[in-house]
Amino acid sequence: MNSDPHTSHGLGVRGSSVVGYANEVVASIDQGTQSTRVYLFDKHQSPIANHQVSLSQIYPEAGWCEHDPHEILRCVKECLVGALREAEAKLGVVTVRAVGITNQRETTMVWHRATGQPLYNAIVWLDTRTAGVCAEMEQRLGSKDYFRPTTGLPISTYFSAFKFKWMYDNVPQVTEAVDTDMAMFGTIDSWLIYNLTGGVDGGVHVTDASNASRTQLMDLATLDWHQPYCQLFSMPQSALPRIVSNAEIYGYMTDPPHQAYLGVPVSGSLGDQMSALLGQRCREGEAKATYGTGCFMLLHTGQKIVPSVHGLLTTVAFKLGADAPPCYALEGAVAVAGLGVSWLRDNLGIIQHADEVESLASQVPDTGGVHFVPAFSGLLAPYWLNDARGVITGLTSFTTRAHICRSLLEAIAWQSREVLDAMKQDADLPSEGLTVLYVDGGAAKNALLMQTQADFLEVPVVRPNFPETSCLGAALAAGLGAGIWEHHQVFAGHSYSATTFKPSLVHEDADVRYERWKDAVRRSFGLATPEVVAADVPFAPVDHGIGTAMLKAEAWQTVDGSAQPENDDTVSPMPTALSTWASLANAPSRLSMGDNTGRRSIDRFGVVG
């Protein structure tokens, strides 16, 4: 390709795959909900440096969560510089060959075409303010699954189109910009690519196929925007980014935070869970589970779009090149994994640190008949029951905190089995089902949890020794898009060295225990109520858009950082937890709600009526 003077400090020749630079690296930006990090990988796909910065959470109302778009961009630039300086301290001069992006999915932004400035904060994926929009649309369209045949997704507050619709209806600046064709819509990948490639001065307005598949607006079969659905959400064609593959050159870095990035191609982009699927090098028929705050499981279904009739999502996995065929996945989410650990620590106080849960649970050989169903704000896949609530069954005078800890770890593993069973049914897998499950995420560091997962699934569980598979996936896509690696090199093997947990339970024992677990799950159904009944213990009511959670006010004595869950993948807050923390600044420590005959309702923002 032709040389370009703007690339003299970075790649040198745009798109060139010629090897010859010393200390060549690929930069991977991981823009997450709680933090941003950048990893640098060498030409052997090994990590050599990284830098991480926390991201502020903005809670305007109970159940709402926003991010400052300017802070997101500042954090990304800070991490790019920090990772580069670490690499230079180790290796000397470093040549950046490509930049890849992986991001929190569904988080939604609108900015102005003429100024490049955000018109509102980014509405985060877990924000529940769109519950009313979702309810109205479900009633009008007649089914929660109206969009599924085209987009693979149910009506839910998670997805970006509903967040855009709320902004259009409630933010005058957005309304005006949309109506005058001056609005630019996008998820976080779009915002970052736009700004890294020039912003208002020629920045590229694109989104990758994996992120587009989470908007509720993209046709899975054509990978194009579905115009009838765009009209339903008041989305003009002029506001939409162009849908691109996950591995191609979108544009080049201009005005970067460090000269080493000038002219470097931005050539890979995936949503975080899809990036982890790629980082694990999962092939068709293989599955990965990321154990963080919750647990996200994806099954690679190849080039086949598999509709779900068992409560899963059908989504794009990745499309590795402009001319490459798309690959798809089935996805299921468990709401509570690491969140349950932080709940034991922050709400019950039975552990002081997250890593104590493993040692404490290991003190007992089993749960002593205790089953913990952590449906704090309902059940996700495969049930999707908003009115379920958490229960602990089988308590006796013999029960100790060790049994409670072990029952939580078992709950994570059982919920994962339920999702994977649904995947096997939807995908019509052979009778033996999966032969292995690849795992990552902060909670996957817990060896007892991973062994329990292997026992309950009755398949080996493989955990790579380098856990940041989302970062690796984005780097692989960027390297492929920039011509640094070829397809066979990306899928040369699974990630690095790994620890394998082999099942030790006999089949009959696993099935008997599974039935007992499912009996406990059934006992959690229908426990939510929109009314608050007075009790001896004071409560602070908080609604998360899917029913009122009754949480003890004493558990929330402070709202500063020291009282909140730590900023790591093991205990970072899920939708319920973030919504809970959002409410604390305005929640009184004690509420008198009247007696049982004088019940008072609470609306979805926690306002007593």
Side-chain angles (χ1 to χ4, degrees), residues 438-492:
Y438 298 97
V439 300
D440 53 65
K445 299 173 185 175
N446 187 313
L448 178 58
L449 172 59
M450 294 299 97
Q451 182 59 55
T452 302
Q453 189 69 84
D455 290 343
F456 289 0
L457 294 179
E458 302 176 68
V459 299
V461 168
V462 177
R463 181 185 66 193
N465 291 340
F466 175 67
E468 306 300 339
T469 54
S470 291
C471 291
L472 176 59
L476 293 173
L480 185 62
I484 298 168
W485 299 309
E486 296 182 5
H487 192 275
H488 73 274
Q489 293 174 300
V490 170
F491 287 93

Side-chain angles (χ1 to χ4, degrees), residues 31-44:
Q31 202 297 298
T33 310
Q34 296 289 304
S35 68
T36 299
R37 64 189 130 193
V38 167
Y39 267 83
L40 299 183
F41 294 85
D42 66 18
K43 60 185 177 182
H44 304 295

Side-chain angles (χ1 to χ4, degrees), residues 113 148 185 188 205 343 430 445 508 563:
R113 185 177 306 279
R148 269 191 187 272
F185 159 83
I188 297 300
H205 188 209
W343 185 81
K445 299 173 185 175
E508 291 75 13

Side-chain angles (χ1 to χ4, degrees), residues 418-447:
E418 289 181 310
V419 170
L420 289 167
D421 280 354
M423 287 180 170
K424 288 190 287 187
Q425 295 178 68
D426 277 338
D428 195 24
L429 294 179
S431 57
E432 64 269 21
L434 297 173
T435 58
V436 66
L437 177 69
Y438 298 97
V439 300
D440 53 65
K445 299 173 185 175
N446 187 313

Side-chain angles (χ1 to χ4, degrees), residues 541-555:
V542 182
D543 191 276
H544 308 297
I546 52 176
T548 301
M550 303 304 299
L551 302 176
K552 291 185 178 180
E554 282 84 357

Side-chain angles (χ1 to χ4, degrees), residues 33 57-67 105-108 120 122-136 144 155-160 162-167 170 335 376-378 380 384 386 389 542-549 573-583 603-606:
T33 310
Q57 309 297 308
I58 302 169
Y59 306 117
E61 303 268 2
W64 294 25
C65 183
E66 299 175 359
H67 290 160
R105 302 174 301 172
E106 295 111 11
T107 297
T108 304
Y120 194 74
I123 299 181
V124 181
W125 59 274
L126 51 80
D127 185 288
T128 60
R129 75 185 70 190
T130 59
V133 177
C134 293
E136 186 276 331
K144 191 179 188 69
I155 292 175
S156 169
T157 59
Y158 281 113
F159 305 120
S160 304
F162 299 97
K163 303 178 193 302
F164 171 83
K165 179 62 173 171
W166 184 91
M167 283 192 273
N170 293 276
F376 297 146
S377 286
L380 299 184
W384 296 102
N386 293 340
R389 286 296 178 268
V542 182
D543 191 276
H544 308 297
I546 52 176
T548 301
M574 265 294 271
T576 54
L578 281 172
S579 299
T580 298
W581 288 114
S583 70
D603 72 14
R604 73 183 192 89
F605 300 127

Side-chain angles (χ1 to χ4, degrees), residues 282-350:
C282 286
R283 298 168 177 83
E284 183 176 354
E286 294 183 331
K288 73 88 191 174
T290 297
Y291 297 83
T293 306
C295 179
F296 290 89
M297 285 157 284
L298 271 75
L299 172 67
H300 190 325
T301 61
Q303 297 177 34
K304 182 180 180 182
I305 298 174
V306 179
S308 177
V309 294
H310 294 92
L312 305 177
L313 308 178
T314 305
T315 192
V316 170
F318 38 70
K319 175 179 163 64
L320 298 178
D323 298 322
C327 293
Y328 298 91
L330 284 170
E331 178 176 334
V334 171
V336 177
L339 174 61
V341 176
S342 64
W343 185 81
L344 293 179
R345 183 195 62 194
D346 300 325
N347 291 47
L348 294 192
I350 65 175

